[in-house]
Amino acid sequence: MRRNEYSEEMALSRIQSQMPLEEKVALSDIIINNNKTFKETEDQVDSIIEKWELKP
């Protein structure tokens, strides 16, 4: 909130207006889980790039 100078009310309003995660997942072609280590996230990204490069 401090970074964007939002009030708590404004910040909560912005969070509540976002699409639910389940809907985002359903619409996604690719999901990168960045809740783990940087290395694990990097490995996911590398794997995705490899798959894209192999597509005709």
Side-chain angles (χ1 to χ4, degrees):
M1 292 185 315
R2 190 176 326 145
R3 181 187 72 194
N4 295 326
E5 299 181 9
Y6 292 154
S7 67
E8 183 175 352
E9 181 179 329
M10 183 179 275
L12 289 173
S13 174
R14 291 178 64 93
I15 291 168
Q16 291 170 346
S17 70
Q18 294 180 14
M19 180 187 301
L21 183 58
E22 295 79 21
E23 288 182 39
K24 292 178 187 179
V25 168
L27 296 170
S28 299
D29 293 324
I30 293 179
I31 299 167
I32 298 172
N33 179 351
N34 64 350
N35 292 329
K36 298 184 179 182
T37 67
F38 180 82
K39 176 68 173 132
E40 289 171 307
T41 302
E42 185 177 44
D43 290 346
Q44 286 179 68
V45 172
D46 289 344
S47 176
I48 291 165
I49 291 171
E50 284 179 27
K51 288 177 186 175
W52 283 346
E53 289 176 343
L54 293 175
K55 286 189 175 183

